[in-house]
Amino acid sequence: MPIIAVLLVLITEVAVQGREPVSFLLTGVPPLVSATRGPRATAWSAIGCLGLQILMAAGRPGHFDEQHHVALYMATLIIGAVSYLLARQRQNTEKHLIMANSVAEAMQRTLLRPVPPRLAHVSAAGYYSPGEGGTFVGGDLYDMCETPFGVRVIIGDVRGKGLDAVQTVAAVLGSFRVSAHEWRDLSVLADRLELSIVRNGPKADTGDPELFVTALVMEFAGDSVRIVDRGHPAPVAVGPDGARHLATAPALPLGLGELSGGRVLTTEHTLRPGEVLVLYTDGLSEARNTDGTFYPVMERLGEHFLTCEPDPQTVVSFLRTDSDSWSAASEEDDQAVLAITLLQSAPQQAGHN
């Protein structure tokens, strides 16, 4: 744009043959340069424009030292100096932004590790999409690891957003990565995760009684899956026979367990051959279309995979594309999706309490 602006001024100067002071238009070039180039290029553009103004004025007898031309030279120098400072500020801001994005991306990779394509006897795929544009980490969480008891998985959704949500995600995932290897009973494992929120999350600092995390804690051993549901959407199994919800025994979310006096129950299901288990947060199921209708996860999966065989990667790709096209919201909630299938039967392994 700056080059085009200079060329247009020169062409106009030739066309009007000096009858009009078109050199005044050159004062707008340095700000244009500062928008896309660095301080040095901006300074040279201001010097170049000043030189062109002097040459154009000198070509018209008696105009070089006229008062309004002298004012033009001074204005060009002032605008050039300000543009130089703006270019420096923009360049520094870009450097800080790149650094901040790098830190945020590193934090996301630390908290939300890439989903392993294969872990023991399961195959998996997944994605995370933050609801707030420009952010890398939000309030959704997931992880999976191989333990003495089988492959264990967690997916969850923290109430709220911002730094408190990120701190809670860090507390829950940090506890899961340690406790998943130590506790045989899934309900006890969920209790340990709840304890991490009380001790290490922002709830320990603020005492926020409404801070909680909905979560599914799962274990794959042999051809079965065990599920502890702490107030989270139930998983969907999609296979050659269509899609079905796996029944769970919902309990209060993590962080609110002290309000419940009963023991959290574990449900167990046998996965059918070829089935893919889909875990998701409510950012997917509560995406709305233009009519305000929620995204029907099970129905869309069942319809799509009636004609093709599901696998974790194709299921995840379909959900991401289909939910994006379904949703009409400009600002969506965080979305986390995991798709898991059994590769082969594995014997149930023993462990310790």
Side-chain angles (χ1 to χ4, degrees):
M1 288 182 62
I3 294 174
I4 293 174
V6 172
L7 291 176
L8 288 176
V9 170
L10 294 177
I11 292 172
T12 306
E13 173 71 13
V14 173
V16 301
Q17 298 180 352
R19 292 190 300 271
E20 298 294 337
V22 295
S23 62
F24 283 80
L25 299 175
L26 292 172
T27 56
V29 172
L32 289 177
V33 176
S34 70
T36 56
R37 304 298 180 189
R40 182 177 299 180
T42 302
W44 279 112
S45 71
I47 294 173
C49 288
L50 178 62
L52 285 175
Q53 289 170 342
I54 292 174
L55 289 175
M56 293 167 70
R60 300 169 62 191
H63 285 254
F64 172 75
D65 55 353
E66 282 185 352
Q67 184 176 2
H68 65 279
H69 277 283
V70 174
L72 173 63
Y73 307 150
M74 296 179 62
T76 302
L77 288 175
I78 294 173
I79 292 174
V82 173
S83 299
Y84 172 85
L85 295 176
L86 288 175
R88 284 189 59 183
Q89 179 64 31
R90 178 186 58 79
Q91 202 170 66
N92 290 336
T93 301
E94 288 178 351
K95 290 180 180 178
H96 287 300
L97 181 60
I98 292 172
M99 184 179 299
N101 285 342
S102 298
V103 171
E105 186 174 359
M107 182 170 64
Q108 183 194 38
R109 290 184 175 274
T110 301
L111 293 179
L112 301 179
R113 298 170 179 171
V115 178
R118 178 168 181 170
L119 195 63
H121 66 296
V122 305
S123 174
Y127 76 86
Y128 169 74
S129 177
E132 297 182 9
T135 62
F136 288 87
V137 182
D140 287 1
L141 59 96
Y142 60 80
D143 201 3
M144 56 190 304
C145 58
E146 184 179 3
T147 74
F149 320 108
V151 175
R152 287 186 162 177
V153 178
I154 183 173
I155 187 167
D157 187 358
V158 180
R159 173 194 169 271
K161 297 183 179 180
L163 293 178
D164 283 351
V166 175
Q167 186 177 349
T168 303
V169 167
V172 173
L173 288 179
S175 178
F176 174 79
R177 287 163 184 166
V178 174
S179 300
H181 298 266
E182 301 296 329
W183 303 93
R184 177 197 295 274
D185 192 318
L186 278 185
S187 62
V188 175
L189 171 58
D191 291 339
R192 301 301 298 181
L193 302 181
E194 183 164 40
L195 190 61
S196 71
I197 299 176
V198 176
R199 290 179 176 177
N200 304 317
K203 191 168 187 175
D205 301 325
T206 64
D208 183 0
E210 297 183 356
L211 178 62
F212 60 83
V213 181
T214 66
L216 291 177
V217 183
M218 311 177 70
E219 176 183 290
F220 293 83
D223 59 356
S224 66
V225 56
R226 300 184 184 91
I227 307 171
V228 168
D229 184 352
R230 299 299 296 265
H232 198 79
V236 173
V238 56
D241 299 326
R244 61 188 178 106
H245 273 123
L246 296 190
T248 62
L252 289 177
L254 302 176
L256 302 179
E258 60 186 12
L259 302 178
S260 174
R263 180 176 174 81
V264 177
L265 300 179
T266 301
T267 55
E268 184 171 352
H269 298 271
T270 299
L271 294 180
R272 301 167 185 169
E275 278 191 324
V276 175
L277 196 60
V278 181
L279 320 175
Y280 57 90
T281 58
D282 61 10
L284 177 68
S285 57
E286 294 182 0
R288 298 173 183 262
N289 63 7
T290 53
D291 297 327
T293 304
F294 289 125
Y295 182 72
V297 180
M298 188 174 72
E299 290 78 3
R300 300 292 285 187
L301 285 171
E303 292 173 3
H304 182 77
F305 288 101
L306 278 177
T307 57
C308 59
E309 184 177 352
D311 65 74
Q313 189 57 58
T314 57
V315 169
V316 165
S317 298
F318 167 73
L319 284 176
R320 188 165 200 169
T321 303
D322 193 53
S323 63
D324 285 346
S325 61
W326 175 279
S327 176
S330 57
E331 293 186 5
E332 301 176 354
D333 193 7
D334 298 345
Q335 285 186 13
V337 174
L338 289 177
I340 303 171
T341 189
L342 298 177
L343 294 175
Q344 60 184 10
S345 295
Q348 186 173 0
Q349 302 179 44
H352 55 280
N353 289 322

